[in-house]
Amino acid sequence: MIKKMSPSENDFDIPAKNCCRMVILGSTKVGKTAIVSRFLNGRFDEDQYTPTIEDFHRKLYSIKGDVYQLDILDTSGNHPFPAMRRLSILTGDVFILVFSLDNRDSFQEVQRLKQQIIETKSCLKNKTKENIDVPLVICGNKGDREFYREVQKEEIEQLVAGDEQCAYFEISAKRNTNVDQMFQTLFTMAKLPNEMSPDLHRKVSVQYCDMLRSKSLKNKNKKDNGDAYGIVAPFARRPSVHSDLMYIKEKAIGGQGKDKERCTIS
């Protein structure tokens, strides 16, 4: 979940129910950042591999008169700080677990990650006494390397069997195969608009932020049945660790009034 601010501090005034944090986890060199690049920019970068420490992105949408905020946390595959990984899981709303079809070790890491998410979220559920659904998609990336495949479909089906909040897709970020379908399924499980998927909305420029603000402030009671729009927010900053810790603390003690929450846009 995203840090909340009072309406007076936030011109966009986006309800908390329209805010979501997507956390992408997996081993190194499985293509997590490539999937994010496809989602945000429709591009695949074939330049030399650069390990991700932690990247944060934000995308804003105008869909049928409502404004939505999606925060994306692209995590490190090395996870040198286990406490930070646990915090990312605690504050995440939807998850993408990525492994490489040509790397069995990365699949085993996804198995561990899925179990860690279940255990971590269950701990929070026990403290809040709330039902916590965790929409989760497992991605077998590098489908373009089928000849080198090390993980069989039967093994993957066992991992997702019986879990209605978990789906599996074999994708290729390089060829852009099944990437859009994967995101559509994830947003459907999370009860978010399908229009948040890359191929179901128009990409617009930074200047469109003024229109988003206008819609949010002046047209709250009007529904626009026109096109859906999406914009990648420039210079997005990850909420501080302190903010995330405070959110978890307030969540655990039931200290937040959900109807009054708003998203951070700064």
Side-chain angles (χ1 to χ4, degrees), residues 133-183:
D133 293 326
V134 186
L136 185 154
V137 169
I138 295 175
C139 288
N141 191 28
K142 303 190 181 181
D144 50 284
R145 292 175 56 83
E146 178 67 24
F147 181 78
Y148 303 97
R149 185 183 189 115
E150 294 185 359
V151 185
Q152 303 307 313
K153 291 183 179 180
E154 294 77 13
E155 301 175 84
I156 305 163
E157 289 171 355
Q158 291 179 3
L159 182 60
V160 302
D163 189 344
E164 295 181 355
Q165 287 294 303
C166 181
Y168 171 68
F169 282 85
E170 292 193 357
I171 71 169
S172 170
K174 182 176 183 178
R175 295 180 178 173
N176 200 23
T177 304
N178 285 337
V179 177
D180 289 337
Q181 294 89 328
M182 179 270 291
F183 281 109

Side-chain angles (χ1 to χ4, degrees), residues 6-28:
S6 65
S8 62
E9 294 174 285
N10 175 21
D11 288 341
F12 280 87
D13 197 24
I14 305 176
K17 66 182 180 64
N18 289 2
C19 300
C20 180
R21 179 180 289 183
M22 175 192 298
V23 180
I24 303 177
L25 298 161
S27 300
T28 59

Side-chain angles (χ1 to χ4, degrees), residues 33-237:
T33 299
I35 293 171
V36 173
S37 180
R38 278 291 186 192
F39 179 79
L40 293 176
N41 309 308
R43 296 196 300 264
F44 178 81
D45 187 359
E46 295 200 56
D47 291 343
Q48 186 176 3
Y49 170 75
T50 302
T52 299
I53 298 176
E54 182 179 86
D55 287 336
F56 180 82
H57 309 273
R58 175 168 291 158
K59 190 161 185 176
L60 304 173
Y61 299 86
S62 174
I63 301 173
K64 297 179 180 178
D66 291 323
V67 181
Y68 293 82
Q69 175 181 315
L70 177 68
D71 284 359
I72 303 168
L73 192 62
D74 181 9
T75 64
S76 169
N78 291 320
H79 54 88
F81 306 107
M84 287 298 297
R85 167 163 286 190
R86 178 176 171 81
L87 183 62
S88 297
I89 293 173
L90 283 169
T91 56
D93 299 304
V94 298
F95 295 86
I96 299 177
L97 306 185
V98 186
F99 71 95
S100 180
L101 288 165
D102 63 356
N103 186 321
R104 170 164 290 279
D105 289 342
S106 69
F107 176 64
Q108 293 172 341
E109 174 67 4
V110 159
Q111 292 176 301
R112 291 188 287 268
L113 285 168
K114 184 174 186 287
Q115 186 60 34
Q116 184 179 4
I117 290 171
I118 293 172
E119 292 174 354
T120 302
K121 288 295 192 180
S122 296
C123 178
L124 184 61
K125 176 181 178 179
N126 292 336
K127 292 183 178 181
T128 62
K129 309 301 181 182
E130 295 180 0
N131 292 324
I132 299 179
D133 293 326
V134 186
L136 185 154
V137 169
I138 295 175
C139 288
N141 191 28
K142 303 190 181 181
D144 50 284
R145 292 175 56 83
E146 178 67 24
F147 181 78
Y148 303 97
R149 185 183 189 115
E150 294 185 359
V151 185
Q152 303 307 313
K153 291 183 179 180
E154 294 77 13
E155 301 175 84
I156 305 163
E157 289 171 355
Q158 291 179 3
L159 182 60
V160 302
D163 189 344
E164 295 181 355
Q165 287 294 303
C166 181
Y168 171 68
F169 282 85
E170 292 193 357
I171 71 169
S172 170
K174 182 176 183 178
R175 295 180 178 173
N176 200 23
T177 304
N178 285 337
V179 177
D180 289 337
Q181 294 89 328
M182 179 270 291
F183 281 109
Q184 287 182 37
T185 297
L186 180 61
F187 292 138
T188 297
M189 289 193 300
K191 299 180 174 59
L192 293 168
N194 285 336
E195 290 87 347
M196 294 174 74
S197 302
D199 60 342
L200 296 180
H201 63 266
R202 292 175 56 189
K203 284 75 172 176
V204 294
S205 64
V206 174
Q207 287 73 20
Y208 189 75
C209 278
D210 292 336
M211 191 181 299
L212 284 178
R213 182 179 289 107
S214 176
K215 284 178 178 290
S216 175
L217 293 175
K218 299 179 181 179
N219 298 326
K220 293 180 181 178
N221 298 322
K222 296 180 181 180
K223 295 297 179 183
D224 180 7
N225 294 320
D227 292 337
Y229 302 89
I231 176 174
V232 178
F235 313 117
R237 295 176 297 173

